[in-house]
Amino acid sequence: MFFVDVIELEGLGNRSYLAGGPAAAVAVDPPRDIDQVLAAAARRGVRISHVVETHIHNDYVTGGLELARITGAVYLVPAGAHVSFARTPVHDGDAVDIDSAADLDLAAIATPGHTPHHTAYVLREAGRPVAAFTGGSLLIGTVGRPDLVEPRLTEELARAQHASAHRLAEALPDETAVLPTHGFGSFCSSAQADGDSTTIGKEKTANAALTVDVDTFVADLLAGLEDVPAYYTHMGPANAGGPDPVDMTPPAVADPQEIATRLAAGEWVVDLRSRIAFAEGHVAGSFNFELDGKLATYLAWMIPWGKPVTLLAESAEQLAAAQRELVRVGIDRPASAATGGPAQWLREGERPASFARATFAELAGQDMDEVVVLDVRRDSERAEGWIAGSVHIPIHQVHRRIGEVPDGTVWVHCAGGMRAGIAASLLDAAGRRVVAVDDGFDAAEKAGLTVLTGCPGTRPAPLRGAPTKDEASI
């Protein structure tokens, strides 16, 4: 009898897995904070005999090397991946025993596309495939993006994605569970998962890689690709070099004077509280990346790499959760931190800064010639509808393009409020008068605002479909 435990990395939109039998298990694409994997193994009462990587990841720092070191597991990495640490190279067709007593083994299938060396792993029980760990190859309703390695290879890898998807579909029974690493909000995916689980049979009827010809698939896939998070540049080299163990002990405590000094030095002071609490009162000059949003993705995407960051949290628990999110993307040690609220973070005599929040109905009540409407959604979102006269700067570009925002009070919006909160904090820190529209975009037209479609110059995204629940709420 076999089991598969899913380890959710919600902030990054990824999944890792622990799979095996009564005695032993394999960890697939483990996160940097390996304590989660160790805890899962302890709950099962199993030994981790193998740790496997489907590819050298571009969107997070792996915990595979450290997990293998701590557990004594065999560390399997695709043979074509260029790494500088000791590992067991895996070739197409290789198989290893996972739990002999349960007749469980793991077979490697070369599935290039997301990266040239990408490898999927099939868990077999008594020789029968029961689950395929597909990493960034075959995802739920889509595939991993092929443009993260080298621009000159993008089309070639897109074609390889199509071929790899067909190889998996032809090699595995329809009932085989498909268990990808990406696709649940990760920007490593070319689109987002449509649903929570799938099988080879379902993908044969729903996945474009398996339902359209290769030329159409490649054209649509490449047309739908959007900006790559800036921090991805640093993830591949970190993983190829062998990540260091993490240190998640609490950072040094920052008092009000140190917070002020760090702000004056141009460092980033990040407030992790909700966007509601931040708007009501915060340290002037600080930025709001709420913990419940995609903290690791957006902070790592926007902060100049290597710049010191001080974290402000409501509690020690919130601070610890943020540290866990950030080590996954290589932001290992905050320069300092403080807990509490503005009363504990401001120097004597200083008052909290604040800005207004509003709905689209309130925006509709303004004289539109007197305000600036800033849309911080992605290109594909804006193409589906935008407010007439609005300025468009995607959230990850706002901090570098504030000078392009026209004069006047800025009413900033996204799809649901979270990204608008980030942008509002950046504008507020720059001295702009700002209103954060904390509302769902579907309320804009209902409120009487003119919403246009078919934005000229915006590339279509035919493989993406409707935004996921998570995307529609941020």
Coordinates of all heavy atoms in Angstrom, one line a residue, residues 286-320:
S286 N 7.6 53.3 5.0 CA 7.6 51.8 5.0 C 6.7 51.4 3.9 O 5.8 52.1 3.4 CB 7.1 51.3 6.3 OG 5.8 51.7 6.7
F287 N 6.9 50.1 3.5 CA 6.1 49.5 2.4 C 5.2 48.4 3.0 O 5.6 47.7 3.9 CB 7.0 48.9 1.3 CG 7.9 49.9 0.7 CD1 9.2 49.5 0.3 CD2 7.6 51.2 0.4 CE1 10.1 50.4 -0.2 CE2 8.4 52.1 -0.1 CZ 9.7 51.7 -0.5
N288 N 4.1 48.2 2.4 CA 3.1 47.2 2.9 C 3.1 46.0 1.9 O 2.6 46.0 0.8 CB 1.7 47.8 3.0 CG 0.7 46.8 3.5 OD1 -0.4 46.8 3.1 ND2 1.1 45.9 4.5
F289 N 3.7 44.9 2.4 CA 3.5 43.6 1.7 C 2.9 42.6 2.8 O 3.5 42.0 3.6 CB 4.9 43.0 1.3 CG 5.5 43.7 0.2 CD1 6.2 44.9 0.4 CD2 5.5 43.3 -1.1 CE1 6.8 45.6 -0.6 CE2 6.1 43.9 -2.2 CZ 6.7 45.1 -1.9
E290 N 1.5 42.5 2.7 CA 0.9 41.8 3.8 C 1.2 40.3 3.7 O 1.3 39.7 2.6 CB -0.6 42.1 3.7 CG -1.4 41.8 2.5 CD -2.8 42.1 2.5 OE1 -3.3 42.4 3.6 OE2 -3.5 42.1 1.5
L291 N 1.4 39.7 4.8 CA 1.8 38.3 4.9 C 0.8 37.4 4.2 O 1.2 36.4 3.6 CB 2.0 37.9 6.4 CG 2.4 36.5 6.6 CD1 3.7 36.2 6.0 CD2 2.4 36.2 8.1
D292 N -0.5 37.7 4.3 CA -1.5 36.9 3.7 C -1.6 37.0 2.2 O -2.3 36.2 1.6 CB -2.9 37.2 4.3 CG -3.0 36.8 5.8 OD1 -2.2 35.9 6.2 OD2 -3.9 37.3 6.5
G293 N -0.8 37.9 1.6 CA -0.8 37.9 0.1 C 0.4 37.1 -0.3 O 0.9 36.2 0.4
K294 N 0.9 37.3 -1.5 CA 2.0 36.5 -2.1 C 3.3 37.2 -1.7 O 4.0 37.8 -2.5 CB 1.9 36.3 -3.6 CG 0.6 35.5 -4.0 CD 0.5 35.4 -5.5 CE 1.4 34.5 -6.1 NZ 1.2 33.1 -5.8
L295 N 3.6 37.2 -0.4 CA 4.7 38.0 0.2 C 6.0 37.7 -0.5 O 6.7 38.6 -1.0 CB 4.9 37.7 1.7 CG 6.1 38.2 2.3 CD1 6.1 39.7 2.3 CD2 6.3 37.6 3.7
A296 N 6.4 36.4 -0.6 CA 7.7 36.0 -1.1 C 7.8 36.4 -2.6 O 8.8 37.0 -3.1 CB 7.9 34.5 -1.0
T297 N 6.7 36.2 -3.4 CA 6.8 36.5 -4.8 C 6.9 38.0 -5.0 O 7.9 38.4 -5.8 CB 5.5 36.0 -5.5 OG1 5.5 34.6 -5.5 CG2 5.5 36.4 -7.0
Y298 N 6.1 38.8 -4.5 CA 6.1 40.2 -4.8 C 7.2 41.0 -4.1 O 7.8 41.9 -4.7 CB 4.7 40.8 -4.5 CG 3.7 40.4 -5.5 CD1 2.6 39.6 -5.1 CD2 3.8 40.8 -6.8 CE1 1.7 39.2 -6.1 CE2 2.9 40.4 -7.8 CZ 1.8 39.6 -7.4 OH 0.9 39.2 -8.3
L299 N 7.6 40.6 -2.9 CA 8.7 41.3 -2.3 C 10.0 41.0 -3.0 O 10.8 41.8 -3.3 CB 8.8 41.0 -0.8 CG 9.9 41.6 0.0 CD1 9.9 43.1 -0.1 CD2 9.9 41.2 1.5
A300 N 10.2 39.7 -3.2 CA 11.4 39.3 -3.9 C 11.5 39.8 -5.3 O 12.6 40.1 -5.8 CB 11.5 37.7 -3.9
W301 N 10.4 40.0 -6.0 CA 10.3 40.5 -7.3 C 10.7 42.0 -7.4 O 11.4 42.4 -8.3 CB 8.9 40.3 -7.9 CG 8.7 40.5 -9.3 CD1 9.6 41.1 -10.2 CD2 7.6 40.0 -10.1 NE1 9.0 41.0 -11.5 CE2 7.9 40.4 -11.5 CE3 6.5 39.3 -9.8 CZ2 7.0 40.0 -12.5 CZ3 5.6 39.0 -10.8 CH2 5.8 39.3 -12.1
M302 N 10.3 42.7 -6.3 CA 10.5 44.2 -6.4 C 11.7 44.7 -5.7 O 12.2 45.8 -6.1 CB 9.2 44.8 -5.9 CG 8.0 44.4 -6.7 SD 6.4 44.8 -5.9 CE 6.4 46.6 -5.9
I303 N 12.1 44.1 -4.6 CA 13.2 44.7 -3.8 C 14.5 44.5 -4.6 O 14.8 43.5 -5.2 CB 13.3 44.0 -2.5 CG1 14.3 44.7 -1.6 CG2 13.8 42.5 -2.6 CD1 14.3 44.3 -0.1
P304 N 15.4 45.6 -4.7 CA 16.7 45.4 -5.3 C 17.4 44.3 -4.6 O 17.6 44.3 -3.4 CB 17.4 46.8 -5.0 CG 16.2 47.7 -4.9 CD 15.1 46.9 -4.2
W305 N 17.9 43.3 -5.4 CA 18.4 42.1 -4.8 C 19.6 42.4 -3.9 O 20.6 43.0 -4.2 CB 18.8 41.1 -5.9 CG 19.0 39.7 -5.3 CD1 20.1 39.0 -5.1 CD2 17.9 38.8 -4.9 NE1 19.8 37.7 -4.6 CE2 18.5 37.6 -4.5 CE3 16.5 39.0 -4.9 CZ2 17.7 36.6 -4.0 CZ3 15.7 37.9 -4.4 CH2 16.3 36.7 -3.9
G306 N 19.6 41.8 -2.7 CA 20.6 42.0 -1.7 C 20.4 43.2 -0.8 O 21.2 43.4 0.2
K307 N 19.4 44.1 -1.1 CA 19.2 45.3 -0.2 C 18.7 44.8 1.2 O 17.8 43.9 1.2 CB 18.2 46.2 -0.9 CG 17.9 47.5 0.0 CD 17.0 48.4 -0.7 CE 17.7 49.2 -1.8 NZ 18.7 50.2 -1.3
P308 N 19.2 45.4 2.2 CA 18.8 45.0 3.6 C 17.3 45.3 3.8 O 16.7 46.3 3.3 CB 19.6 45.9 4.5 CG 20.8 46.2 3.7 CD 20.3 46.3 2.3
V309 N 16.6 44.4 4.4 CA 15.1 44.5 4.7 C 14.9 44.4 6.2 O 15.4 43.4 6.8 CB 14.3 43.5 3.8 CG1 14.7 42.1 4.2 CG2 12.8 43.7 4.1
T310 N 14.1 45.3 6.7 CA 13.6 45.2 8.1 C 12.1 44.8 8.0 O 11.4 45.5 7.3 CB 13.8 46.5 8.8 OG1 15.2 46.7 9.0 CG2 13.1 46.5 10.2
L311 N 11.7 43.9 8.8 CA 10.3 43.4 8.9 C 9.6 44.0 10.1 O 10.1 43.9 11.2 CB 10.3 41.9 8.9 CG 10.9 41.2 7.7 CD1 10.8 39.7 7.8 CD2 10.3 41.6 6.4
L312 N 8.4 44.5 9.9 CA 7.6 44.9 11.0 C 6.4 44.0 11.0 O 5.6 43.9 10.0 CB 7.1 46.4 10.7 CG 8.2 47.4 10.5 CD1 7.7 48.8 10.3 CD2 9.2 47.4 11.7
A313 N 6.1 43.4 12.1 CA 5.1 42.4 12.3 C 4.2 42.7 13.5 O 4.7 43.3 14.5 CB 5.7 41.0 12.3
E314 N 3.0 42.2 13.4 CA 2.1 42.3 14.6 C 2.5 41.4 15.8 O 2.3 41.8 16.9 CB 0.7 42.0 14.2 CG 0.0 43.0 13.4 CD -1.4 42.6 13.0 OE1 -1.7 41.4 12.7 OE2 -2.3 43.5 13.0
S315 N 3.1 40.3 15.4 CA 3.5 39.3 16.5 C 4.7 38.5 16.1 O 5.1 38.5 14.9 CB 2.3 38.3 16.7 OG 2.1 37.5 15.5
A316 N 5.3 37.8 17.0 CA 6.4 36.9 16.7 C 6.0 35.8 15.8 O 6.8 35.4 14.9 CB 7.0 36.4 18.0
E317 N 4.8 35.4 15.9 CA 4.3 34.3 15.0 C 4.2 34.8 13.5 O 4.6 34.1 12.6 CB 2.9 33.8 15.4 CG 2.9 33.1 16.8 CD 3.1 34.0 18.0 OE1 2.8 35.2 17.9 OE2 3.5 33.4 19.0
Q318 N 3.8 36.0 13.4 CA 3.7 36.6 12.0 C 5.1 36.8 11.4 O 5.3 36.5 10.3 CB 2.9 37.9 12.0 CG 2.6 38.5 10.7 CD 1.9 39.8 10.7 OE1 2.4 40.8 11.3 NE2 0.7 39.9 10.2
L319 N 6.0 37.2 12.3 CA 7.4 37.4 11.8 C 8.0 36.1 11.4 O 8.6 36.0 10.4 CB 8.2 38.1 12.9 CG 9.7 38.2 12.7 CD1 9.9 39.1 11.5 CD2 10.4 38.8 13.9
A320 N 7.8 35.0 12.2 CA 8.3 33.7 11.9 C 7.8 33.2 10.6 O 8.5 32.6 9.8 CB 8.1 32.8 13.0

